[in-house]
Amino acid sequence: MYEHQGLESVFFVMLYGGALTMAVLAALYLLLRRSNAIAPDVDSPRELRMWAAAFLTAIAASHVWWYVLGIHWLTEDRLVRNIVAITLDRITFVPLMMCVMLRLLQHWRCPLWPVAASMAPFIVIAGVSIATNYDRFEWFIECYSLLLCLVFMVFYVYELRLYGHWLRDNFADLEHKEIWQSLVLLACILLVYVIYTTNEGALATEVLAQILTLVIIAFVVWRVETLQKLGIEGAGEKEYTDATSNEPNEKAEDKADLLIESLLREQCEEARLYLQHDLSLVQLAAVVGTNRTYLSSYFATRGETYNSYINRLRIGHFCQLYHKSIAEGRQFTAIELARQSGYRSYSTFGVAFKQLTGQTVREWMQGG
């Protein structure tokens, strides 16, 4: 922006001001509104709303200080001006973005102190550069920023995979819970960074950066509003005990597993508890009188997860409904049968069906 090409364009000034205004309004919305407008049936995490609001506030503040420094302050000292503006971006926008990304991983609490610690080199480099009038500041900042970005991306993808496995171990319904879409946010932010560090104030790239900023703001609000809060601690956490506790461990575990198998058949399969939407591992563990950890390990010894267990029962129920409807000559749709089988989302059902049967729903119905 310091090259002033954008300031000569009314369209760019309106776009720049629009991004600033949208960031402020979005931050106030997340802070002040208690319920969701985008997905009213979703209860989003309050803590995540606060972090996202802080991140959006940093976007707005960045627009303010780049304009002020570019037009009204330090206009004669380009080096100090760039050092101040770039450092402010790095120690506000960057760590808040990381915190939002990490807080999307609910109940997978990554410590935030490494994020704060990673900002120290920005402050040190900026201080030394101002004191010594060192003109290689931007080169050092760009190198460190790129390294930090690459390390965070690798770490985040790894943590996201672990989190995905954890979700499948604890929840039957994954809609409004999975967060792989957050990688889109990371990609957009990286693209904005590349644009700002490789252009020399060209109007086209400045406009593109502002458009991407609008996309980032909209995406953050959408992601926060559509992410279901996961409340799984506390419920169903009593330890499983029975009369076999004095027997040798292996024999006692076998008897305990047989008892769990019997209780699952009675309380979940025969009672069709699996048709309850959003049934969690903790809730099922409470019903059969054990705890989440034991029940999860029980499924693991049988080569499946809680998610695959519930999906197997639901898809079996779908197949029964399908054959019954065919035999009775009743009209139906696959969507209706999927909903009667415990699925709110037909796309979720379709993915689970293909994973279990190796066929799409259409292929299976045509072959059946």
Side-chain angles (χ1 to χ4, degrees):
M1 181 171 177
Y2 291 154
E3 303 302 323
H4 302 292
Q5 286 192 40
L7 298 178
E8 299 172 0
S9 167
V10 175
F11 173 73
F12 175 77
V13 171
M14 291 178 63
L15 190 61
Y16 193 86
L20 190 160
T21 303
M22 185 174 175
V24 171
L25 293 177
L28 290 173
Y29 169 79
L30 291 178
L31 280 173
L32 301 178
R33 187 179 175 93
R34 298 293 177 178
S35 58
N36 295 349
I38 298 176
D41 60 326
V42 173
D43 181 19
S44 57
R46 183 64 184 165
E47 182 187 5
L48 179 60
R49 295 179 79 91
M50 309 307 280
W51 279 109
F55 172 64
L56 295 172
T57 301
I59 291 178
S62 175
H63 278 67
V64 171
W65 59 60
W66 276 97
Y67 177 80
V68 170
L69 291 173
I71 305 300
H72 301 292
W73 188 43
L74 297 177
T75 56
E76 301 302 322
D77 193 335
R78 187 181 187 280
L79 177 62
V80 175
R81 180 184 63 185
N82 283 0
I83 291 173
V84 172
I86 292 173
T87 303
L88 285 173
D89 271 355
R90 295 304 190 272
I91 64 175
T92 56
F93 180 87
V94 173
L96 286 170
M97 178 272 293
M98 291 181 177
C99 290
V100 169
M101 301 288 289
L102 292 175
R103 282 300 171 251
L104 286 169
L105 305 173
Q106 300 180 76
H107 301 291
W108 197 260
R109 295 293 179 161
C110 301
L112 298 182
W113 67 263
V115 174
S118 67
M119 297 302 109
F122 288 124
I123 299 173
V124 172
I125 295 172
V128 171
S129 298
I130 291 175
T132 61
N133 200 33
Y134 188 58
D135 59 3
R136 297 294 301 277
F137 163 80
E138 291 187 38
W139 182 84
F140 277 104
I141 286 293
E142 287 172 14
C143 288
Y144 181 68
S145 297
L146 182 60
L147 176 62
L148 184 62
C149 183
L150 291 175
V151 170
F152 182 76
M153 286 185 69
V154 171
F155 170 77
Y156 194 76
V157 170
Y158 172 74
E159 292 296 314
L160 193 59
R161 286 173 57 87
L162 293 180
Y163 187 69
H165 292 310
W166 178 83
L167 283 177
R168 285 163 177 75
D169 286 342
N170 286 276
F171 293 93
D173 304 284
L174 299 180
E175 57 266 25
H176 302 311
K177 296 181 180 67
E178 290 190 297
I179 59 167
W180 61 267
Q181 300 96 333
S182 59
L183 294 176
V184 175
L185 173 62
L186 202 58
C188 286
I189 292 172
L190 181 60
L191 186 56
V192 170
Y193 169 74
V194 171
I195 289 172
Y196 268 118
T197 55
T198 57
N199 86 88
E200 296 297 331
L203 180 58
T205 51
E206 292 282 1
V207 168
L208 178 59
Q210 295 310 308
I211 292 173
L212 284 172
T213 299
L214 291 171
V215 171
I216 289 169
I217 295 168
F219 185 89
V220 168
V221 174
W222 172 83
R223 180 65 282 185
V224 171
E225 292 258 298
T226 57
L227 184 66
Q228 177 64 46
K229 180 171 66 177
L230 306 180
I232 65 170
E233 293 108 343
E237 286 302 305
K238 57 183 178 180
E239 292 295 327
Y240 178 78
T241 57
D242 64 39
T244 65
S245 58
N246 293 326
E247 298 183 26
N249 286 340
E250 186 175 342
K251 188 175 181 181
E253 288 177 3
D254 289 342
K255 286 192 174 183
D257 285 355
L258 289 174
L259 181 56
I260 291 295
E261 182 179 353
S262 174
L263 288 170
L264 284 174
R265 188 182 308 111
E266 176 186 342
Q267 300 294 334
C268 182
E269 298 171 23
E270 295 176 1
R272 294 183 176 178
L273 182 64
Y274 55 84
L275 297 181
Q276 176 185 319
H277 179 74
D278 233 3
L279 178 70
S280 69
L281 178 70
V282 166
Q283 292 171 320
L284 181 58
V287 169
V288 300
T290 184
N291 60 62
R292 178 181 56 181
T293 303
Y294 183 86
L295 191 56
S296 180
S297 63
Y298 168 83
F299 287 129
T301 59
R302 280 150 181 77
E304 63 180 348
T305 65
Y306 167 70
N307 180 267
S308 63
Y309 168 73
I310 296 297
N311 278 323
R312 176 165 55 81
L313 296 179
R314 287 178 174 177
I315 291 170
H317 187 80
F318 171 88
C319 295
Q320 290 177 359
L321 291 178
Y322 172 79
H323 290 302
K324 184 178 179 181
S325 299
I326 292 291
E328 295 177 354
R330 288 191 286 110
Q331 290 188 341
F332 63 90
T333 65
I335 294 176
E336 292 172 346
L337 298 186
R339 287 176 178 169
Q340 293 173 30
S341 301
Y343 291 97
R344 280 187 184 174
S345 168
Y346 185 74
S347 60
T348 300
F349 162 72
V351 171
F353 190 93
K354 186 166 186 179
Q355 287 177 342
L356 183 67
T357 66
Q359 296 177 293
T360 65
V361 179
R362 181 185 294 274
E363 290 171 345
W364 181 83
M365 293 173 68
Q366 290 175 345

